[in-house]
């Protein structure tokens, strides 16, 4: 899909330019270009995250436990909102050349909510696996969430140590700063990869989920949310023996 192709280009360009900025210092031209890429990447990532929220919100009642899916989706929305707010503040502080320690503290805050988002999305992915099942994507998301938590802990420890070390111990401060920076770039890469995996979900939701993949005789359909689904994805054509789901479903069990 076009949005994911644009996101791949924008996110990777932002990542590469940000790495270059760590090597080449005192370059205002790179700073300006990086800010524009930050804004473009944030807009594309925000669009993907918002669409993901809408998709799960509409189809949460079709999962094996609608209450858990809906609650997890709200937590994901909450964490994504704080992540976006933190990223906006980060851009402003970056423009005004604020102290590195302040930026590092804000980065840890942002990635904390980013890691929470990854964990919650893993829970959601597990519950919507009753609608469709992509083993490789599910395993990849779980690995990214697990590793991101470990990297976040290391980043928080060394970032905190850096702020408490005396200024005369330059070698220790430099080592801690390098480790913290590497952790932040690792987390950024994992988060970008994670949200790009949503392309699989886009394909399923845009084309429609075929009923013969998960329906059985114990399930019944109603059209309580037909307007919501149609407003998001458009009217779907009904074909015999392969009905597309556009409403809520109450199931006694899933096969």
């Amino acid at each position: 899909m076009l949005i994911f192709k644009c996101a791949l280009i924008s996110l990777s360009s932002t990542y590469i330019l940000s790495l270059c900025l760590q090597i080449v210092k005192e370059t205002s031209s790179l700073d300006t270009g990086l800010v524009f890429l930050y804004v473009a990447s944030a807009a594309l990532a925000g669009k993907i995250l918002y669409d993901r929220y809408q998709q799960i919100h509409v189809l949460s009642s079709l999962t094996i436990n609608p209450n858990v899916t809906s609650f997890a989706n709200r937590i994901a929305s909450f964490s994504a909102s704080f992540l976006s707010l933190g990223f906006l503040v980060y851009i402003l502080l970056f423009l005004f050349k604020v102290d590195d320690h302040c930026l590092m503290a804000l980065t840890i805050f942002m990635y904390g909510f980013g890691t929470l988002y990854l964990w919650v999305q893993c829970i959601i992915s597990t519950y919507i696996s009753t609608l469709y099942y992509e083993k490789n994507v599910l395993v990849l998301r779980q690995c990214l969430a697990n590793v991101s938590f470990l990297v976040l802990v290391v980043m928080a420890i060394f970032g905190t140590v850096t702020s408490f070390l005396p200024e005369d111990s330059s070698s220790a401060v430099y080592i801690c700063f390098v480790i913290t920076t590497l952790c932040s770039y690792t987390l950024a890469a994992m988060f970008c990869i994670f949200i790009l995996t949503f392309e699989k979900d886009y394909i399923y939701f845009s084309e429609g989920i075929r009923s013969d993949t998960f329906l059985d005789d114990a399930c019944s359909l109603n059209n309580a949310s037909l307007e919501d689904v149609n407003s998001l994805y458009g009217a779907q054509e009904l074909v015999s023996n392969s009905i597309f789901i556009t409403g809520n479903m109450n199931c006694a069990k899933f096969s």
Side-chain angles (χ1 to χ4, degrees):
M1 290 187 175
L2 180 60
I3 186 173
F4 284 94
K5 293 179 180 178
C6 294
L8 178 61
I9 296 173
S10 178
L11 292 174
S12 58
S13 300
T14 305
Y15 191 85
I16 294 172
L17 186 59
S18 182
L19 281 176
C20 293
L21 193 64
Q22 294 295 324
I23 302 174
V24 183
K25 299 294 185 181
E26 306 297 334
T27 53
S28 57
S29 59
L30 277 180
D31 287 351
T32 305
L34 186 59
V35 169
F36 280 110
L37 283 176
Y38 273 154
V39 174
S41 298
L44 290 169
K47 171 63 175 173
I48 293 173
L49 297 182
Y50 178 70
D51 287 347
R52 171 71 170 177
Y53 168 79
Q54 283 191 312
Q55 292 166 353
I56 302 303
H57 176 70
V58 171
L59 295 179
S60 62
S61 61
L62 301 179
T63 61
I64 193 170
N65 196 327
N67 293 330
V68 173
T69 307
S70 180
F71 180 69
N73 198 35
R74 287 196 295 270
I75 295 179
S77 175
F78 171 81
S79 58
S81 299
F82 272 91
L83 176 63
S84 302
L85 179 62
F87 191 74
L88 176 62
V89 176
Y90 182 90
I91 293 176
L92 295 176
L93 295 180
F94 179 81
L95 283 172
F96 289 103
K97 301 293 184 181
V98 180
D99 182 72
D100 288 339
H101 291 297
C102 183
L103 288 176
M104 188 59 64
L106 181 59
T107 302
I108 295 173
F109 171 84
M110 289 166 48
Y111 286 131
F113 281 101
T115 302
L116 175 62
Y117 183 84
L118 301 190
W119 272 95
V120 174
Q121 286 297 332
C122 283
I123 296 174
I124 293 175
S125 298
T126 300
Y127 277 93
I128 65 175
S129 63
T130 55
L131 305 182
Y132 60 90
Y133 185 67
E134 286 286 349
K135 181 179 179 180
N136 294 333
V137 173
L138 186 59
V139 171
L140 175 60
R141 290 176 183 174
Q142 289 174 344
C143 290
L144 290 174
N146 292 332
V147 175
S148 68
F149 177 74
L150 297 177
V151 177
L152 177 66
V153 171
V154 175
M155 178 182 176
I157 292 174
F158 282 93
T160 305
V161 170
T162 303
S163 62
F164 284 104
L165 286 175
E167 295 182 358
D168 55 353
S169 57
S170 58
S171 60
V173 172
Y174 178 76
I175 293 173
C176 291
F177 182 78
V178 168
I179 294 176
T180 307
T181 303
L182 289 175
C183 289
S184 67
Y185 277 97
T186 302
L187 287 171
M190 289 191 294
F191 187 79
C192 293
I193 294 172
F194 193 97
I195 64 174
L196 289 175
T197 63
F198 290 156
E199 183 178 10
K200 285 286 186 180
D201 303 67
Y202 262 68
I203 294 174
Y204 279 104
F205 291 127
S206 63
E207 294 180 354
I209 303 177
R210 304 174 74 89
S211 64
D212 55 5
T213 61
F214 61 90
L215 289 180
D216 58 21
D217 295 336
C219 300
S220 60
L221 293 175
N222 62 72
N223 294 321
S225 62
L226 178 61
E227 295 180 358
D228 290 338
V229 178
N230 285 338
S231 65
L232 286 174
Y233 313 113
Q236 301 286 349
E237 181 181 359
L238 298 179
V239 183
S240 60
N241 297 324
S242 60
I243 304 174
F244 287 91
I245 301 306
T246 56
N248 286 334
M249 178 179 70
N250 298 320
C251 299
K253 67 172 185 176
F254 286 85
S255 58

